[in-house]
Each structure stands twice: as structure tokens, then as C-alpha cells.
């Protein structure tokens, strides 16, 4: 088969790496890819925007691509799967209606409310309801803060603000409705209770009728150690989560994941692709934080290296509605992924800084390097975005995996390189 992967991050490099091992693959392609993906797939620099879906289709037809895997959420929310299907192309991912699970936080919250799925209590306001929203905020009890305010639509991970008092909440609301910081994504907002606890990520394969959970992972969202500083796309991850008890895992599946999947079916939504549950656990009780409609980044980089199975038939079975009787097989080892970010991230990112030392890593079989914001500049690889590289190792223990990852990082250099030193530290003794 000829397979195309859409996207340019560490998640997509990991997908390309895993799919390249499939016995079903002939040729691999990526749009737009990055410097690492280009080492295993033929990359074509088409911007992944709605107005370019036609160009992607032309590329698919020209290269006789049999199957397209969509990495990021934006094209899914914009209906790329519908568009490709209408043009007789097989594509992995939810269609536009199903992708609302990530594309509209209001849509997902309404599902939770209607079907009794545990999540924070929330109210919604449209831009035209600014005055009502201010009145609502003014009537909140000071003691009940913090509250969270979220943009309804996609906001590249930046549309969620935790506010400590009424003034911060009013300022945040003004940011959405008056300053329009998040454009149309902020035309409707959710104000909800803040739930404290720890977060876990559960990626599930779905074929419209059957849902199969993958092993759990944990992501680190803040830029600095000890969860300090601004929010990022994710600075590292590890898998599996051996500290989650069987009872808690059952609650996550039976109170949140399966009820959501069944709710979608009841609403007439045929969910195919990855359903990624972002779960928060407070006092051993799980609550839904958010759903994403695609593989997590950087969770994928910690989860897929542990998957023993050929991933391509799994993805095709999701698309064809033929997941029945699938059982996933996992390595017992522990995997740690650390993200190397560029200078200024997450507020900004630095492009064009020369990355050195990668050649020293490639020879070490225990370490995987998945590129994210990188590009080739004549014979050099340079930074090309906020999250630049993912360094991954698997070992019998998290301690060993961490040692391998952090020893490897010492060999890589670029101007302003930053990374967290505490990824999987809390599970080091497991
Ligand atoms: N790791 C967070 C995300 O993929 O959205």
C-alpha cells in the first residue's frame, strides 16, 4: 500500500516510523512532514489548510495513495475526511461532525450533561451575551474560585484560562469577546468549576461501533519543571501508568469513555479514528477534562513504541469498521519521551538555529529521535518551530529509560534549547 501521513510534528514522525514497519506498506508519503520524517517518507510541502484540501487530493491521486492518516485536529475539524471520502479516498480520522468532540467544547459539554458523564459543572455564553456573562461572574462567590474559562473552538492549546478571582475572569472574558484574541474560536465560551487532581491521557481506537483503549500515558503541559510556567503543547510524556489501579481504570472506561462513545452513537455520530480522553483524577474519581479527535502529542511518542502490533491494519480497521476481535499487544517496558523546545517557547519560537549532535544519537539503538519543528537547510538540520525534537527511550524501568534519554540529550545542541528535567521523575522507582 501507499500511505500518506498529514502533519509535521513529533506525533506524525512517530506514526510514520511505526507505519514504516508495517508489512503492508510499499511507499510512504507525508504532507508537509519535517526533516526527520523526510528520512523515511517522501515529503510534499503543501500547507494543511482547508483551502489546500484540493491540492492534497491531487497529490493523493497522482501518487496512487491508498490510505491517508490525518495527524492534527484542525484539518479533521475542517472536514478533510469527509472531503477525501467524497472523492473515493480512504482516510483515518473522524469526519467533521464527529471531530466536534474536539472542535467544540460546548458540543462535548452538552453531551456530558445530557448523558451524565462526569465533568466540571459549566455554563455557556455567546459573544452576544457579554452583559449576562459579566452579571454571572459578578454573582459568583469569591470563595469558589478558581474558575476556568474556555474558548469553544480550537485555540492551539491556548484557549483555556484558569482565573483566581472575578477580576481575572472578567479580563479573560474580555479577551475572548472584546479583544477577540482567539478569533471565531472565542465567539462562545464555557465557564466551569476548576477540578484539581492529576491528568492522564487515554487514546482509543474507534471504528464507529467498537472502541479499543490503548495503554495510558501522562503528558507534561507546563514549560518548566514542577509544572511551573506557561502552557505548552506538551514537554514530555511517559507510558504506561502502572500506578493507576484496576478499579480506577474501570471507572474511567465505564463512567467516561464507553458512555461517551455510546452517547455519540445515540446522537447518530459514527466515531472513527482516535478518541483521546483527557481525564483528571480527584480523590480517586475521574472527570472528563476534554476530548481530542486525534493522537496526542507527545503521548503517541511514548505509547506507540510499546505497541507490538502492526499499526497499519489497526488504522485501516478503524476506518473500515472492522476492529471487532482486535486485541492489542504491548511491550512490558517503560517508555519516556522528553521534548526539546526552541528559545522563547511557548510565547514564541526560534527558527533557523542549527541542531548539532543528532548523528551521535542515531547510532544508539535504544534511543528514538522524533522530529517536530525541524527542517533541512542545505546540509544542516535547523529549528523550525516551538517543539523541536522528541527523545525517547524504552527500558525495564522508568529510571533506566530516563537515564538513557537524559544522557542522549547531552549530545544534542542548539541555541536556546530548553527541556524539562523531571519527565517521569515521579514514577522513577516504579
Ligand atoms: N498532549 C496534548 C495534546 O495532544 O493535545
Amino acid at each position: 500500500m501507499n500511505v500518506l501521513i498529514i502533519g509535521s510534528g513529533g506525533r506524525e514522525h512517530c506514526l510514520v516510523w511505526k507505519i514504516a514497519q508495517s508489512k503492508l506498506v510499499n511507499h510512504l508519503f507525508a504532507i508537509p512532514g519535517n526533516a526527520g520524517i523526510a528520512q523515511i517518507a517522501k515529503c510534499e510541502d503543501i500547507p494543511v489548510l482547508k483551502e489546500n484540501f484540493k491540492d492534497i487530493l491531487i497529490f493523493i491521486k497522482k501518487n496512487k495513495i491508498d490510505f491517508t492518516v490525518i495527524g492534527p485536529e484542525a484539518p479533521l475539524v475542517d472536514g478533510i475526511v469527509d472531503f477525501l471520502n467524497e472523492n473515493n479516498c480512504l482516510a483515518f480520522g473522524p469526519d467533521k461532525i464527529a471531530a466536534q468532540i474536539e472542535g467544540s467544547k460546548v458540543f462535548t459539554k452538552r453531551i456530558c450533561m445530557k448523558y451524565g458523564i462526569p465533568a466540571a459543572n459549566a455554563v455557556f455564553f455567546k459573544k452576544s451575551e457579554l452583559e449576562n456573562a459579566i452579571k454571572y461572574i459578578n454573582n459568583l462567590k469569591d470563595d469558589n474560585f478558581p474558575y476556568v474559562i474556555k474558548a469553544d473552538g480550537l485555540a492551539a492549546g491556548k484557549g483555556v484560562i484558569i482565573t483566581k478571582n472575578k477580576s481575572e475572569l472578567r479580563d479573560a472574558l474580555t479577551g475572548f469577546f472584546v479583544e477577540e484574541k482567539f478569533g471565531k474560536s472565542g465567539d462562545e465560551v464555557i465557564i466551569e468549576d476548576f477540578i484539581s487532581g492529576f491528568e492522564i491521557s487515554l487514546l482509543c481506537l474507534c471504528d464507529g461501533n467498537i472502541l479499543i483503549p490503548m495503554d495510558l500515558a501522562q503528558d507534561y503541559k507546563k514549560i518548566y519543571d514542577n509544572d511551573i510556567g506557561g502552557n505548552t503543547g506538551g514537554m514530555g510524556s511517559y507510558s504506561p501508568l502502572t500506578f493507576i489501579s484496576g478499579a480506577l481504570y474501570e471507572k474511567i472506561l465505564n463512567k467516561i469513555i464507553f458512555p461517551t462513545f455510546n452517547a455519540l452513537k445515540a446522537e447518530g455520530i459514527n466515531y472513527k479514528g482516535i478518541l483521546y480522553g483527557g481525564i483528571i483524577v480527584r480523590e480517586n474519581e475521574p472527570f472528563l477534562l476534554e476530548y481530542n479527535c486525534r493522537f496526542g502529542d507527545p503521548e503517541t511518542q511514548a505509547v506507540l513504541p510499546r505497541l507490538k502490533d502492526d499499526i497499519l491494519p489497526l488504522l485501516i480497521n478503524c476506518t473500515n469498521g472492522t476492529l471487532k476481535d482486535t486485541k492489542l499487544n504491548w511491550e512490558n517496558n517503560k517508555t519516556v519521551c522528553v521534548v526539546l523546545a526552541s528559545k522563547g517557547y511557548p510565547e514564541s519560537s526560534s527558527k533557523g538555529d542549527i541542531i548539532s549532535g543528532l548523528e551521535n544519537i542515531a547510532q544508539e539503538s535504544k534511543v528514538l529521535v522524533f522530529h517536530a519543528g525541524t527542517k533541512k537547510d542545505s546540509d544542516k538540520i535547523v529549528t523550525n518551530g516551538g517543539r523541536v525534537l522528541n527523545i525517547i527511550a524504552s527500558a525495564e524501568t522508568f529510571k533506566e529509560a530516563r537515564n538513557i534519554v537524559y544522557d542522549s540529550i547531552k549530545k544534542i545542541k542548539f541555541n536556546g534549547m530548553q527541556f524539562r528535567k523531571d519527565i517521569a521523575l515521579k514514577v522513577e522507582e516504579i
Side-chain angles (χ1 to χ4, degrees):
M1 290 182 88
N2 291 341
V3 180
L4 166 67
I5 288 87
I6 304 273
S8 62
R11 164 185 54 209
E12 286 79 18
H13 190 176
C14 181
L15 281 163
V16 171
W17 166 82
K18 185 72 181 156
I19 292 170
Q21 296 163 40
S22 171
K23 56 184 187 310
L24 301 181
V25 166
N26 291 331
H27 297 289
L28 267 174
F29 299 84
I31 293 176
N34 59 37
I37 294 174
Q39 292 165 6
I40 32 177
K42 182 176 180 297
C43 294
E44 183 76 9
D45 193 11
I46 302 173
V48 185
L49 300 170
K50 198 173 177 184
E51 54 267 33
N52 300 108
F53 286 178
K54 274 196 183 137
D55 301 317
I56 293 175
L57 178 65
I58 292 168
F59 182 84
I60 288 174
K61 299 275 183 194
K62 188 173 140 206
N63 291 285
K64 299 189 170 36
I65 286 160
D66 302 293
F67 188 58
T68 300
V69 179
I70 319 296
E73 61 278 14
L76 292 166
V77 171
D78 282 341
I80 193 167
V81 168
D82 313 55
F83 175 76
L84 294 180
N85 289 347
E86 282 155 20
N87 287 283
N88 303 316
C89 299
L90 203 59
F92 175 83
D95 62 14
K96 188 173 176 157
I97 290 190
Q100 285 182 95
I101 201 88
E102 177 164 3
S104 169
K105 293 194 166 58
V106 171
F107 167 85
T108 300
K109 190 64 87 174
R110 288 196 202 281
I111 294 265
C112 290
M113 287 170 162
K114 182 168 170 185
Y115 292 90
I117 295 157
N121 294 322
V123 291
F124 316 121
F125 293 101
K126 292 198 167 72
K127 201 171 171 179
S128 55
E129 299 168 315
L130 176 64
E131 274 181 32
N132 281 350
I134 298 278
K135 262 189 222 155
Y136 175 83
I137 292 171
N138 291 342
N139 285 332
L140 291 171
K141 289 204 178 101
D142 292 324
D143 288 349
N144 289 345
F145 275 81
Y147 280 92
V148 183
I149 181 165
K150 297 178 171 179
D152 173 47
L154 296 183
K158 298 202 166 97
V160 176
I161 303 170
I162 299 168
T163 62
K164 292 191 291 297
N165 52 49
K166 287 181 191 175
S167 154
E168 282 187 15
L169 185 49
R170 277 189 300 262
D171 286 351
L173 180 77
T174 309
F176 287 110
F177 285 170
V178 182
E179 294 160 37
E180 298 179 347
K181 282 185 184 162
F182 300 93
K184 287 219 157 311
S185 289
D187 278 359
E188 188 165 7
V189 298
I190 295 183
I191 298 176
E192 67 178 29
D193 296 349
F194 173 78
I195 301 179
S196 59
F198 64 88
E199 290 180 34
I200 59 185
S201 303
L202 178 51
L203 313 180
C204 306
L205 293 165
C206 302
D207 78 347
N209 200 32
I210 292 186
L211 175 148
I212 300 182
M214 303 180 91
D215 264 6
L216 294 168
Q218 196 162 43
D219 171 23
Y220 290 73
K221 295 248 166 55
K222 300 284 183 186
I223 181 76
Y224 300 126
D225 284 15
N226 302 316
D227 296 326
I228 292 169
N231 261 337
T232 71
M235 291 299 290
S237 59
Y238 66 91
S239 177
L241 304 193
T242 42
F243 60 90
I244 299 291
S245 69
L248 176 56
Y249 184 64
E250 291 303 313
K251 276 195 232 177
I252 293 169
L253 290 182
N254 294 326
K255 290 188 167 187
I256 299 179
I257 302 294
F258 286 122
T260 306
F261 192 56
N262 292 335
L264 291 171
K265 279 193 230 175
E267 296 289 319
I269 294 175
N270 198 17
Y271 196 98
K272 293 180 173 185
I274 293 292
L275 181 65
Y276 156 172
I279 311 289
I280 187 151
V281 179
R282 182 182 66 191
E283 292 165 8
N284 227 30
E285 280 303 318
F287 297 85
L288 178 75
L289 262 190
E290 62 177 13
Y291 277 116
N292 294 317
C293 64
R294 35 79 194 175
F295 281 99
D297 187 346
E299 292 92 327
T300 304
Q301 294 90 304
V303 170
L304 290 191
R306 298 187 47 253
L307 181 65
K308 287 187 191 170
D309 307 297
D310 183 339
I311 196 168
L312 192 51
L314 292 171
L315 302 184
I316 294 170
N317 284 337
C318 287
T319 309
N320 288 339
T322 48
L323 263 186
K324 196 163 179 280
D325 298 331
T326 300
K327 192 187 164 298
L328 301 179
N329 296 288
W330 299 96
E331 302 279 3
N332 278 329
N333 54 19
K334 315 287 189 291
T335 302
V336 174
C337 164
V338 176
V339 171
L340 308 183
S342 70
K343 193 172 162 187
Y345 185 72
E347 285 80 23
S348 62
S349 64
S350 176
K351 294 188 178 176
D353 294 313
I354 293 168
I355 303 168
S356 64
L358 283 172
E359 62 287 358
N360 305 331
I361 306 286
Q363 290 150 9
E364 296 169 14
S365 60
K366 280 192 172 173
V367 179
L368 290 165
V369 177
F370 293 134
H371 290 225
T374 67
K375 92 173 188 192
K376 198 108 192 264
D377 186 0
S378 53
D379 62 336
K380 305 261 186 299
I381 293 179
V382 299
T383 62
N384 193 38
R387 289 187 290 171
V388 177
L389 293 165
N390 302 258
I391 314 300
I392 296 106
S394 298
E396 216 164 290
T397 64
F398 281 118
K399 188 170 192 162
E400 204 187 325
R402 270 174 50 80
N403 285 341
I404 298 168
V405 167
Y406 284 108
D407 280 349
S408 301
I409 289 173
K410 286 182 196 147
K411 298 174 184 162
I412 300 175
K413 293 200 171 30
F414 53 86
N415 178 36
M417 178 172 111
Q418 41 173 346
F419 62 94
R420 281 182 65 154
K421 295 169 193 68
D422 63 348
I423 306 299
L425 180 62
K426 62 191 166 201
V427 289
E428 200 173 58
E429 297 312 328
I430 294 179

